[in-house]
Amino acid sequence: MAGHDNLNGSTEKSGSGMDDLPTFNAENMQNNMKVILYSRTFMAIIGGVIAGILGLTSLTGFIFYFLVMAITSVALTTKAKFSIHSYFDSWNRIVFDGFFGGLMSFVLFWTFAYDIVHIF
Amino acid sequence: MAEDLVLDTAIRDWVLIPLSVVMVLIGVLRYFVSKLMKGSSQLPDPKIVKEGQVIIRARSLRAGANYIPAKSFRARKAYYSNEENGLLHVPKGQAQNPQAQMFSDPNMAMDMMKKNLSMIIPQTLTFAWVNFFFSGFVAAKIPFPLTQRFRAMLQNGIDLSTVDVSYVSSRSWYFLNLFGLRGLFSLILGEENATDDTQRMMQMSGFGMDPSKTLGAEKDGLDIVQHEWALPKFEQRAEAVLRKLVK
């Protein structure tokens, strides 16, 4: 899958796990969220172009988007070395954040690539 | 579903691709122009900056209240919200009327206007340009079916009811670009461009706000914080760690 090289953004350790008390560094958290948003947008655009070139239409395209997002989630989890809670406050962050924001970019680039390659 | 239309490749080369490229370039241009305008503005009033910093400090005290001992918290709280000379205490009658402040500082209104203009002018120009050159083209086809209800949205500028809804007119392609390129801009221009709009909204809402009011609100917030030390076993833990080190 293209574009996993962008996951090298700094995901800093933000939890210190003292007496199982949740301690977070707000700035690092925000940085982590930014990295997630960034990689999701990137993957949405790349995925859109790929879907367009492959000529996927209607439902297949949206399934492809879900697939790309799932791959991104898995990649982010791997990048966090499967210890989500030392980087984010909940699972929702890594699974759902930026999901719908990316959809618009995905549709645009999907349409663009599809039109250039297929309909003319 | 109607049978497929055959579109001329010239439409692709001279409408679809130029339109998209121009949209991207205009976004980049707008970013740099607004940056240029922002850079030329002068320094803000030191008093306002000071008040903002005090508020941030009080806020972080409130957030981290449970991580310091009760005594330290009380001392800091007194420092901020003391009735006589606390930092957050604003004497009555000294609060400046925001309306008057706005008139005394024309730069503020000027800045707002510049920002809005740098937003509106390129959009109006591009829209006029698209309307003038590319009105009435079927420029693109979205790769998924939609219901009739989307016809007004996607075939803006074409008055044919027999064309399949998934065909997009050039004017609507412009709108799709307008909304969909936000993600791309956040990638190529950095994060601040994406947050620009929301920040502007924040400024709008905070524009008419009285700084003394925020100070007062922060003071009230600090007053009602229940202090509960989160690290009661801290000393034992430190002792254990030190003992291990000594051994």
Side-chain angles (χ1 to χ4, degrees):
Chain A
M1 203 66 231
H4 277 167
D5 52 305
N6 64 322
L7 291 176
N8 55 10
S10 55
T11 39
E12 284 145 49
K13 191 122 179 146
S14 49
S16 64
M18 189 185 286
D19 290 332
D20 54 45
L21 192 79
T23 46
F24 280 107
N25 184 339
E27 268 174 46
N28 287 357
M29 262 282 277
Q30 224 145 39
N31 188 42
N32 290 350
M33 307 294 304
K34 221 158 75 182
V35 170
I36 284 197
L37 222 66
Y38 204 82
S39 22
R40 277 219 190 279
T41 317
F42 188 81
M43 285 303 283
I45 289 176
I46 294 291
V49 171
I50 290 171
I53 291 172
L54 291 179
L56 305 177
T57 51
S58 60
L59 205 57
T60 352
F62 287 108
I63 290 171
F64 184 76
Y65 179 69
F66 284 113
L67 214 69
V68 167
M69 287 292 113
I71 289 169
T72 317
S73 296
V74 170
L76 284 168
T77 320
T78 324
K79 182 74 189 169
K81 299 190 189 66
F82 299 101
S83 57
I84 299 295
H85 286 284
S86 59
Y87 294 97
F88 305 101
D89 53 356
S90 76
W91 273 95
N92 286 352
R93 298 278 186 208
I94 211 163
V95 181
F96 293 117
D97 248 39
F99 192 86
F100 290 102
L103 192 62
M104 200 71 205
S105 303
F106 176 78
V107 166
L108 183 80
F109 279 88
W110 180 21
T111 312
F112 190 63
Y114 177 78
D115 287 351
I116 285 179
V117 176
H118 288 279
I119 67 162
F120 289 104
Chain B
M1 188 156 167
E3 71 265 33
D4 284 351
L5 293 179
V6 177
L7 300 182
D8 194 346
T9 49
I11 292 184
R12 176 186 64 190
D13 297 345
W14 294 103
V15 179
L16 189 68
I17 294 173
L19 193 50
S20 308
V21 170
V22 163
M23 290 296 292
V24 173
L25 290 182
I26 283 199
V28 174
L29 185 74
R30 199 180 69 208
Y31 170 73
F32 284 111
V33 165
S34 65
K35 211 171 155 188
L36 215 69
M37 282 179 168
K38 209 183 284 169
S40 64
S41 69
Q42 64 201 59
L43 292 169
D45 187 7
K47 188 168 164 272
I48 292 173
V49 174
K50 200 174 151 197
E51 276 172 354
Q53 293 299 322
V54 166
I55 286 172
I56 289 169
R57 279 160 66 198
R59 215 165 267 168
S60 62
L61 171 63
R62 200 155 50 123
N66 292 340
Y67 299 106
I68 54 175
K71 192 170 161 243
S72 324
F73 176 70
R74 274 201 303 275
R76 282 169 174 78
K77 193 166 127 182
Y79 177 63
Y80 282 115
S81 64
N82 190 0
E83 284 300 335
E84 279 147 29
N85 53 3
L87 282 182
L88 290 173
H89 184 64
V90 181
K92 271 189 184 124
Q94 261 191 21
Q96 211 178 355
N97 189 2
Q99 216 74 31
Q101 197 182 352
M102 193 177 122
F103 283 120
S104 71
D105 184 14
N107 276 325
M108 225 161 170
M110 199 64 186
D111 264 9
M112 292 266 297
M113 207 141 90
K114 264 188 205 160
K115 270 177 200 151
N116 279 338
L117 279 185
S118 72
M119 191 78 190
I120 290 166
I121 286 182
Q123 262 177 33
T124 331
L125 281 181
T126 340
F127 185 66
W129 175 72
V130 169
N131 245 347
F132 184 73
F133 280 103
F134 302 134
S135 62
F137 281 112
V138 174
K141 180 176 188 276
I142 46 171
F144 47 91
L146 285 173
T147 52
Q148 289 292 326
R149 205 170 288 181
F150 290 93
R151 186 179 291 283
M153 190 178 103
L154 288 178
Q155 296 186 354
N156 203 331
I158 305 175
D159 297 326
L160 289 174
S161 56
T162 49
V163 183
D164 190 65
V165 184
S166 58
Y167 285 96
V168 181
S169 72
S170 54
R171 200 190 294 173
S172 299
W173 178 247
Y174 161 78
F175 282 117
L176 273 180
N177 271 281
L178 199 64
F179 297 120
L181 282 179
R182 203 166 292 162
L184 183 70
F185 288 144
S186 76
L187 285 189
I188 58 178
L189 299 178
E191 208 58 37
E192 67 255 52
N193 186 67
T195 54
D196 226 5
D197 289 348
T198 47
Q199 270 175 0
R200 198 165 296 144
M201 294 298 254
M202 293 272 277
Q203 273 180 353
M204 290 270 211
S205 59
F207 186 53
M209 210 137 75
D210 197 346
S212 68
K213 235 174 234 163
T214 33
L215 285 179
E218 199 53 46
K219 182 170 175 290
D220 291 344
L222 207 55
D223 278 338
I224 60 169
V225 168
Q226 295 271 336
H227 184 264
E228 189 181 333
W229 199 18
L231 307 168
K233 294 202 203 95
F234 191 74
E235 279 160 6
Q236 282 93 318
R237 188 190 149 94
E239 191 191 350
V241 170
L242 286 176
R243 269 183 204 287
K244 208 186 273 175
L245 272 180
V246 168
K247 266 181 207 169

